[in-house]
Amino acid sequence: MKYIIDVDIPENGKDFVEDFFKTISFVKKVSAVAPNEITNPDILRSIEDYENGKAKPTLLNLAELKKMIHA
């Protein structure tokens, strides 16, 4: 089983928190995530499928998009 834990820490506490989690025996990997990094596996898979030609984009006009946003 895999868990992803979101922890907000100040920049000056980054090293301490990473070292702390690394000392826990069942924690395998500790890494910081950039604010603009995509981590959702479904979105990543969708992007990969599009890049490999497995998925085609759905045509959508501006009026339909506005309806979806303001639904």
Side-chain angles (χ1 to χ4, degrees), residues 25-36:
S25 64
F26 56 84
V27 174
K28 302 292 183 208
K29 179 180 168 186
V30 177
S31 61
V33 177
N36 62 346

Side-chain angles (χ1 to χ4, degrees), residues 34-49:
N36 62 346
E37 185 176 345
I38 298 171
T39 58
N40 185 321
D42 294 331
I43 294 173
L44 292 170
R45 191 175 312 109
S46 174
I47 292 170
E48 184 177 322
D49 288 347

Side-chain angles (χ1 to χ4, degrees), residues 46 49-51 53-60:
S46 174
D49 288 347
Y50 173 75
E51 290 174 345
K54 295 179 183 175
K56 300 293 178 197
T58 302
L59 296 177
L60 187 67

